[in-house]
Amino acid sequence: MTLPNHTGVVGAGLMGRDIAGLLANGGLPVTLVDVDPDALESARDDHAALAARLEAGGLAVDGDPASRITYDTDLAALADCEFVVEAVPERLDLKRSVMGDLESVLEADAVVGTNTSSLTAGEIAAEMAHPERVTLFHFANPALERDLVEISGETATDEALETATEVAEAMDRHPVRLQREHRANCLSRLSASIKCAGTWELLEAEAAAIDHAAKNIGFDRGPLEFVDLVGLDVHLATVDNLRVAYGERYAPPEAVEERMRELVDAGHLGKKTGQGFFEWDGETCLLPGVEQGHDVTPVVAALVNEAYRLVEDGVGDRETVNDVLKRGSGGDVGPFDIEAMLGTDFLRETLESRYEETGAGVYEPVF
Ligand code: NAD
């Protein structure tokens, strides 16, 4: 296959602007489209420092990548694109409508990758005339630092999956092909289990105590900082999307969910507004000090439990699931490495006792 002559990204938010930056650094001309001119302006400002940010992410910079990016508020600007990434907010109705609009401007053989975190490519493409052109094309946040793109699509053609794989390689991001479509795929299910278990721990301890404990055992950030990073609004929308497929498995306890919705209503969305569970100074989470420690073994056990579920659901084998977490977190340890370190029996017993106490689906042992 030859690489696309022109690529597009729809949605210039947190993810879309970095995806455009990676496409451009892969030598591919890219047009970034957003309905909001301010989002485009802010992406353009970010791209002024693109080369430095790519280098900081460990990527080799190819010429002046920002010069390969153009900006537009009109999807028609993507008419000759052979590959387009959809990165609009995580709502099925919105994503379907964007897919319909894209289909009306793109050539019949153009491929579309969706960066969805909690839906499937098949669901998003379901109302299209050519759903077989849509694949999952899911990045980990921050996309410039995490060497991973999850690719799947049960309705996608082999050619579409192959195009997505080759574009990911051109972007210098490692493609991982998942075998089955399930809402939230692999990385997002693993991270949903961590974030969900973190919110259940809030019944036992303060947010800062939970996050300090997680960092002390080797997580690069705690589960609640993680929610702040993603955005409380985005996280709660994800929880709602996952409810459709999995019931309450990834939901916070009721009282915590209420508190989170209050934070969202008050405009405290996490990193992007400077305040969520924690205060933020730009990129830095200002985690307050704590006097008392906390045992976060249940969070770790929930993660390993989810890894078993993913293998059971046929999303990937143990090696793939392990690799996805390492790449997605930027660490050296996958869920099955953790199991080997801590012991299967110890983790199962932790789940059993936490499940008995809370009845929370995230702790219901499957191994
Ligand atoms: P975001 O809210 O930061 O950005 C979304 C952008 O889409 C906004 O700029 C908005 O103006 C634009 N938009 C809305 N409707 C549009 C339309 N009809 N046409 C064009 N642009 C439109 O969101 P985000 O965090 O970048 O997430 C985008 C997608 O990436 C979601 O599907 C999300 O689940 C997924 N994702 C997010 C993360 C994360 O950590 N935030 C990680 C991986 C994947």
Side-chain angles (χ1 to χ4, degrees), residues 9-17 19 33-40 72-73 75 86-91 94-95 97-98 101 114-119 124 137-143 187-188 195 226 229-231 233-234 238 241 272:
V9 177
V10 189
L14 185 69
M15 297 303 291
R17 62 185 63 184
I19 294 169
V33 173
D34 202 292
V35 283
D36 178 0
D38 292 342
L40 287 175
D72 216 297
T73 51
L75 273 191
E86 170 280 302
V88 302
E90 191 69 358
R91 294 199 334 259
L94 174 65
K95 287 188 186 279
S97 128
V98 167
D101 293 345
T114 170
N115 190 41
T116 182
S117 298
S118 57
L119 303 164
I124 290 168
F137 200 66
H138 182 253
F139 290 79
N141 180 18
L187 181 63
S188 301
K195 286 179 278 190
F226 197 4
L229 180 75
V230 170
D233 53 338
V234 174
T238 299
N241 283 332
K272 59 190 165 191

Side-chain angles (χ1 to χ4, degrees), residues 145-165:
E145 292 169 29
R146 300 286 184 260
D147 189 11
L148 175 68
V149 183
E150 293 173 277
I151 294 171
S152 72
E154 287 177 18
T155 41
T157 58
D158 288 346
E159 289 79 10
L161 291 164
E162 199 45 44
T163 299
T165 303

